[in-house]
Amino acid sequence: GHPRAYEHPEVEAAIAEVVGICNDAGVPAGIPHVTEGNVVKRLEQGFRWLMPNPVTTNRAVELGRDWLADGREVLEAAR
């Protein structure tokens, strides 16, 4: 395995596989270890349940909310 190596190619491949399976099944996918450095990437991958560590940072939550708000505005403008 690759403990705490969240960016390792094998770990990323496994993460992509899991989120793909969840999305195909219509099940919201969740992921721990969300940071301000990867929150947009995880949202773009299709994760909908993010578990940042609020003790360390709330910036990941803020960036995720901004991304979702921008996405909604884009969708509203496209209508």
Side-chain angles (χ1 to χ4, degrees):
H2 306 283
R4 304 256 187 251
Y6 307 116
E7 303 296 322
H8 189 281
E10 289 180 16
V11 174
E12 282 293 335
I15 289 170
E17 181 180 359
V18 169
V19 76
I21 291 167
C22 289
N23 288 339
D24 289 347
V27 175
I31 189 165
H33 312 296
V34 176
T35 67
E36 63 183 90
N38 71 6
V39 66
V40 170
K41 174 181 179 177
R42 298 308 184 200
L43 288 166
E44 289 175 344
Q45 284 178 305
F47 287 100
R48 292 296 172 250
W49 182 31
L50 307 176
M51 297 163 267
N53 183 346
V55 175
T56 303
T57 179
N58 283 325
R59 185 70 180 137
V61 173
E62 294 169 11
L63 289 169
R65 286 180 181 157
D66 291 346
W67 185 88
L68 289 171
D70 289 345
R72 287 188 187 126
E73 289 174 10
V74 169
L75 291 175
E76 290 297 320
R79 289 185 187 182

